Amino acid sequence: MRLVLLGPPGAGKGTQARMLETRLGAPQVSSGDLLRAAVRNRTALGLKAKGFMDKGALVPDELVLGLIDERFNQPDARDGFILDGFPRTVAQAETLAQMLAARGQKLDRVVAIIVPDEEIVKRISGRRTCRNCGAMYHVIYDPPRNMNMCNSCNGELYQREDDAEDTVRARLEVYEASTRPLLDHYGRLRLLARIEGIGRPEEIGSRILAVLGTNGDQAKGES
Ligand code: AMP
């Protein structure tokens, strides 16, 4: 299964991608996580990307595309993936189609998670991320067992610089201007399904599986 999850920041793409990994037998490929890892490791690319990310702006394509291409070359992503945060513009979507065509592959489905802006701001300002493994929590909706500590790896939880309210609003503007046009793009290609992103994560996961026409028991490599 080659799936793209679309939606504004805070729509729950990351949470859903992680939940669906085992169900669909395909890894999450998150451009935001790949970029944050580059920033954390202080690579040349990470240092260039950081300024854009902190402002809530899009990182230039020449930095993002290479990371995605490299990730697609890893063995676990050969038979499928769940893309989260990429593509973010119609130009990126076109490059993605070319990257896949060069491998004799194509997307199976694009699912847009629809959530109103005010709900997004509320969600993101309570969000905490693990510095070590990238797992996400919410101080009210999904608190960690121990304050400031990741349940899975004991890493330190922090608030991403770009999760501050002003930056969230800037990211929502970027979403409206650059990413929302992707809904029409994928609609025209008849790949798009829209689902309501309000509710418990499990309910939203079931809505995604329903539009994919699977109960999620698909074995790896079947699709
Ligand atoms: P995310 O974790 O998907 O919300 O991404 C965090 C930040 O990383 C974004 O606000 C952008 O600065 C950058 N970013 C992530 N994915 C992309 C992308 N596909 N194109 C450009 N910038 C991106």
Side-chain angles (χ1 to χ4, degrees):
M1 167 75 66
R2 293 186 178 86
L3 172 67
V4 170
L5 294 182
L6 279 184
K13 302 184 297 295
T15 304
Q16 291 303 324
R18 281 161 196 268
M19 278 176 39
L20 290 169
E21 277 189 324
T22 7
R23 305 292 296 273
L24 298 177
Q28 173 196 26
V29 173
S30 156
S31 46
D33 283 353
L34 293 171
L35 286 164
R36 279 184 289 279
V39 171
R40 210 163 45 234
N41 296 329
R42 297 180 202 282
T43 66
L45 186 155
L47 293 175
K48 285 188 202 150
K50 188 174 185 320
F52 296 96
M53 295 171 76
D54 286 350
K55 283 194 301 227
L58 291 185
V59 170
D61 282 358
E62 67 264 27
L63 302 180
V64 179
L65 297 173
L67 281 179
I68 295 285
D69 197 52
E70 216 174 273
R71 183 66 188 86
F72 282 170
N73 284 338
Q74 288 168 16
D76 66 328
R78 294 227 172 107
D79 294 333
F81 48 71
I82 306 165
L83 273 174
D84 148 22
F86 182 90
R88 243 171 163 103
T89 61
V90 173
Q92 288 185 359
E94 284 166 351
T95 307
L96 170 63
Q98 289 161 11
M99 278 181 193
L100 293 176
R103 294 169 163 87
Q105 301 169 350
K106 59 184 179 45
L107 286 180
D108 294 305
R109 206 81 167 112
V110 176
V111 176
I113 307 178
I114 310 295
V115 181
D117 284 6
E118 282 321 305
E119 169 73 15
I120 299 272
V121 174
K122 209 163 65 187
R123 281 187 192 180
I124 295 196
S125 48
R127 189 155 84 171
R128 299 293 178 270
T129 305
C130 175
R131 239 183 237 292
N132 184 44
C133 74
M136 280 187 302
Y137 301 85
H138 190 282
V139 289
I140 297 161
Y141 307 130
D142 180 21
R145 278 195 297 274
N146 295 311
M147 203 52 190
N148 297 328
M149 195 193 272
C150 176
N151 291 350
S152 347
C153 75
N154 291 345
E156 181 203 356
L157 303 184
Y158 76 115
Q159 182 176 40
R160 281 167 39 182
E161 288 74 5
D162 59 347
D163 280 351
E165 184 167 337
D166 283 357
T167 318
V168 172
R169 296 208 182 267
R171 289 163 68 198
L172 285 172
E173 280 171 25
V174 170
Y175 173 79
E176 284 303 320
S178 305
T179 310
R180 189 183 282 283
L182 276 179
L183 270 64
D184 282 344
H185 175 81
Y186 284 125
R188 279 194 295 274
L189 295 175
R190 303 209 168 283
L191 287 172
L192 185 75
R194 293 167 202 254
I195 60 128
E196 174 78 63
I198 304 274
R200 284 185 300 111
E202 297 73 21
E203 288 163 359
I204 297 164
S206 303
R207 285 175 209 149
I208 297 178
L209 291 173
V211 298
L212 296 179
T214 167
N215 63 8
D217 292 334
Q218 224 161 337
K220 187 166 184 158
E222 250 182 40
S223 56

